[in-house]
Amino acid sequence: MKKTHLKEFFKDKRVILLIILILASAISISTLGIQQGLDLKGGSLIQLQLEKPVDKETMDVVTTVLDKRLNLYGVQDVKVRSSGDQLVIIEMAGVSPEEVEKLIGSPGKFEAKIGNESAPVALTGSDITSVDMYEITDTQWMVPFKVSTSGAQKFAELAQGKGGEKVYMYLDGKLIDENPPELAPELANGKAATELSVTGGASTPEEAKEQAQNVYTVLKTGSLPVQIKVVGASSVSPELGAQFLNGAIIAGLLAILVISLIIFIRYRRPLLVIPILITSISEVLIVMGIASVIHWNIDLSAIAGLIAAVGTGVDDQIIITDEVLGKQSKSETNKKRRRTRTRMSVKNALFIVFASAGTLIAAMLPLAYVGFARGSSGIGTLAGFAFTTILGVLVGVFITRPVYAKFVEIFLR
């Protein structure tokens, strides 16, 4: 291995990018950590049944309200998703089924105070009779809702003369919005009104929509559109995940040894064994780094997808190596011709690699779409497998495998 070859290799932009991504991934994993899924960390799986089948819009309201409620309680690693038109699946890592049922079973105590946090309660969730869909005009938003007659009278008395003051909203004693909306002047005249609204503004239409959705969801939280009941609750032990991780580590080490042996027997060149293994390990590290940044839960399905992506990576590297070695002529003495032949072989190999990756991604996309759209526990697992596989393949074909091709182009020409 010549120093000139090493210098040429490490000057390549793709190699520099790979090194930067490896370092960034290592820093991200060490600082942000990796979120473990339910089957690795342990937790609870809750199945809820609605009192009747509902349409997609109503189901979206139910899942959003439940997700908002659980997040307000500070629960992390929670997944709330629909299954069909009458079931809701909730997965929560690190929480017992009893705790989940308690959180879900609570109707949600909504309170609103005018002026300051120590002011008397002007409105409660029991006062709200219905909530209409929010309205957005450019960067302004409004969430209309109706209250009972007694609630309207109490609100009018406490709101009189307080136009423009902040309205602090709470769910189970926790402040919902750090920037509370202001009370409209027309609601501060002391006259009872059963039709009220929460209004606000933002800097962009996207922010306005997000704020309106939050307020809409919170007002809805006190009154779900349909009644729900827990029909199934189970605890997932982290022991299974620990056993799987130990087994995966052992299997990974054995796989590395077997792959190294096969590559050495096939090519009789120790120079090729280490780069192929480094490339595969780099793919895993970068994917895990991306997962830590986007807070993607690593569960059994994600690990399976990662293994599948690494497997295709080893196949692609063998294709690149075979294409280069198969086109080389031992009798060729002209260095320029050998270099040109090697570059052409690498280009042909990368074309095969990209075509293979495109086929795999095309096969995985429907699986990912169905999983994210339907969201039942089984299909959601398949979606995790598909997403991780696609992510691993994209990292491979655009980052790691071109770097390996550059290595082959330089050191095998």
Side-chain angles (χ1 to χ4, degrees):
M1 186 180 295
K2 297 180 181 180
K3 291 184 178 180
T4 54
H5 289 171
L6 285 173
K7 189 175 182 181
E8 181 183 354
F9 178 71
F10 284 106
K11 275 188 175 182
D12 188 82
K13 294 180 180 178
R14 290 166 293 186
V15 178
I16 296 173
L17 176 61
L18 176 60
I19 294 173
I20 292 174
L21 289 176
I22 290 175
L23 293 175
S25 297
I27 294 173
S28 175
I29 293 172
S30 62
T31 55
L32 300 178
I34 297 175
Q35 290 190 350
Q36 297 180 12
L38 180 69
D39 39 16
L40 294 181
K41 188 177 181 180
S44 302
L45 179 67
I46 306 296
Q47 187 176 30
L48 306 176
Q49 183 176 14
L50 279 59
E51 61 180 346
K52 60 182 180 180
V54 297
D55 55 22
K56 185 179 183 302
E57 183 178 349
T58 304
M59 180 62 79
D60 288 342
V61 171
V62 172
T63 55
T64 303
V65 165
L66 291 174
D67 183 72
K68 183 74 175 179
R69 179 180 300 176
L70 293 172
N71 277 284
L72 283 171
Y73 275 102
V75 177
Q76 297 179 347
D77 296 338
V78 56
K79 292 181 180 179
V80 181
R81 32 180 217 245
S82 61
S83 177
D85 58 0
Q86 200 172 357
L87 292 177
V88 176
I89 306 296
I90 299 180
E91 295 181 10
M92 303 177 68
V95 183
S96 68
E98 293 75 17
E99 291 176 298
V100 178
E101 290 188 54
K102 182 179 179 181
L103 294 179
I104 296 172
S106 171
K109 183 181 178 182
F110 172 78
E111 294 178 335
K113 300 178 180 181
I114 304 172
N116 56 70
E117 299 180 17
S118 60
V121 177
L123 200 65
T124 65
S126 58
D127 296 324
I128 300 175
T129 57
S130 65
V131 183
D132 297 330
M133 181 55 67
Y134 55 83
E135 301 173 9
I136 299 176
T137 304
D138 196 16
T139 57
Q140 302 297 313
W141 56 268
M142 178 179 69
V143 182
F145 61 97
K146 296 181 177 65
V147 298
S148 62
T149 303
S150 58
Q153 184 61 42
K154 178 179 63 175
F155 184 84
E157 293 174 358
L158 294 174
Q160 186 172 6
K162 296 182 179 179
E165 294 193 20
K166 299 287 186 181
V167 180
Y168 296 89
M169 296 180 290
Y170 300 86
L171 184 62
D172 293 329
K174 297 186 178 182
L175 186 63
I176 294 167
D177 193 349
E178 296 296 335
N179 296 306
E182 297 179 355
L183 180 67
E186 57 268 23
L187 298 177
N189 56 13
K191 297 181 180 179
T194 56
E195 296 186 3
L196 304 176
S197 64
V198 180
T199 61
S203 56
T204 64
E206 290 75 18
E207 291 182 5
K209 182 178 180 181
E210 182 179 356
Q211 292 177 8
Q213 285 178 330
N214 288 338
V215 173
Y216 173 80
T217 299
V218 167
L219 294 178
K220 275 283 188 181
T221 298
S223 56
L224 283 168
V226 291
Q227 295 294 319
I228 59 174
K229 63 178 180 179
V230 178
V231 295
S234 60
S235 178
V236 179
S237 173
E239 294 180 1
L240 176 63
Q243 293 175 0
F244 181 86
L245 283 179
N246 293 334
I249 292 173
I250 295 173
L253 294 175
L254 291 176
I256 290 175
L257 293 175
V258 172
I259 291 173
S260 302
L261 181 62
I262 292 174
I263 294 172
F264 179 76
I265 293 174
R266 180 177 178 84
Y267 300 114
R268 303 288 181 179
R269 295 191 182 189
L271 178 66
L272 294 175
V273 176
I274 296 178
I276 290 178
L277 295 179
I278 290 177
T279 302
S280 300
I281 295 173
S282 299
E283 289 181 11
V284 173
L285 185 61
I286 293 174
V287 171
M288 298 294 278
I290 295 174
S292 69
V293 171
I294 66 176
H295 304 293
W296 175 260
N297 280 353
I298 298 298
D299 51 17
L300 299 186
S301 61
I303 292 175
L306 194 56
I307 293 173
V310 171
T312 62
V314 174
D315 290 342
D316 291 343
Q317 292 167 74
I318 291 176
I319 290 173
I320 295 171
T321 307
D322 281 352
E323 187 72 16
V324 173
L325 294 179
K327 296 294 177 62
Q328 285 184 349
S329 174
K330 293 182 180 180
S331 60
E332 182 67 72
T333 58
N334 189 298
K335 290 184 178 181
K336 187 175 181 180
R337 289 181 181 177
R338 284 177 63 88
R339 183 174 299 179
T340 301
R341 189 188 299 274
T342 300
R343 287 178 178 174
M344 291 300 297
S345 300
V346 168
K347 289 182 179 180
N348 292 336
L350 286 177
F351 176 80
I352 298 173
V353 168
F354 274 85
S356 175
T359 303
L360 179 60
I361 292 174
M364 288 292 168
L365 281 176
L367 190 63
Y369 171 77
V370 172
F372 286 118
R374 294 287 299 280
S376 65
S377 57
I379 299 223
T381 298
L382 294 179
F385 168 78
F387 176 81
T388 311
T389 302
I390 292 173
L391 181 60
V393 170
L394 290 175
V395 169
V397 297
F398 288 111
I399 300 172
T400 58
R401 293 164 208 179
V403 170
Y404 177 77
K406 187 65 179 179
F407 174 87
V408 171
E409 177 183 328
I410 293 175
F411 292 99
L412 296 187
R413 65 191 175 200

